[in-house]
Amino acid sequence: MKPACVVVAEDAKDVSTALIDLKGHNDAKFAIKSSGHDPNPSHSSTDGGVLISLNRRKGATYDPATKLAKVTPGGSWSDPIGDMQKHGVDVVGGRLGLWFHYLSILVEVTR
C-alpha cells in the first residue's frame, strides 16, 4: 500500500487539523497509523489516501496520586514499559490490543 501523502503528527492538534481538513472531502481515504506493528496492512495504511502517522508520539506519564498513566500511541510496548518502570509500576497488555489505536488514553495501573 502506498499513501498519496503522509501527515506526521507531533501532537493531538496536528491530528485534529488533518481530520478537519479531510472532513470536506467525503470520498477521501485516510488511515491513522500508531506504531505500525499491526500485521494487517489495511489497518494502518491506505492506498492513494492520506496517512496520519503518530510515530513521533511515544512514551507515557504516570501520576502516583491517582495511579493513572497516560500512554501515547506512537511507540512500541517498550516505551510505556520503560517509563512506568521508573515508578515501580508494571504494564500489562496484549500484543495486538486495540488500546494503542487511540490518540491517548488513561490506563489504571496498580503497584
Side-chain angles (χ1 to χ4, degrees):
M1 302 196 102
K2 185 174 180 177
C5 70
V6 178
V7 175
V8 179
E10 297 286 340
D11 55 27
K13 185 175 179 182
D14 289 346
V15 176
S16 177
T17 299
L19 292 175
I20 289 169
D21 288 347
L22 288 168
K23 182 180 177 185
H25 306 280
N26 293 337
D27 58 342
K29 297 186 294 182
F30 73 94
I32 298 176
K33 182 176 187 173
S34 56
S35 62
H37 61 271
D38 192 325
N40 302 297
S42 63
H43 285 188
S44 62
S45 193
T46 179
D47 198 24
V50 177
L51 175 62
I52 301 171
S53 173
L54 304 177
N55 68 347
R56 290 195 181 163
R57 297 187 35 86
K58 298 178 183 178
T61 57
Y62 177 69
D63 181 352
T66 60
K67 294 185 178 181
L68 291 176
K70 182 177 180 183
V71 180
T72 54
S76 66
W77 273 112
S78 61
D79 297 310
I81 289 171
D83 291 339
M84 295 299 101
Q85 283 179 341
K86 298 171 191 171
H87 299 281
V89 176
D90 292 324
V91 176
V92 179
R95 272 189 66 184
L96 295 175
L98 294 177
W99 67 277
F100 255 93
H101 293 279
Y102 295 103
L103 296 179
S104 62
I105 61 161
L106 295 176
V107 178
E108 184 172 351
V109 293
T110 59
R111 289 183 167 249

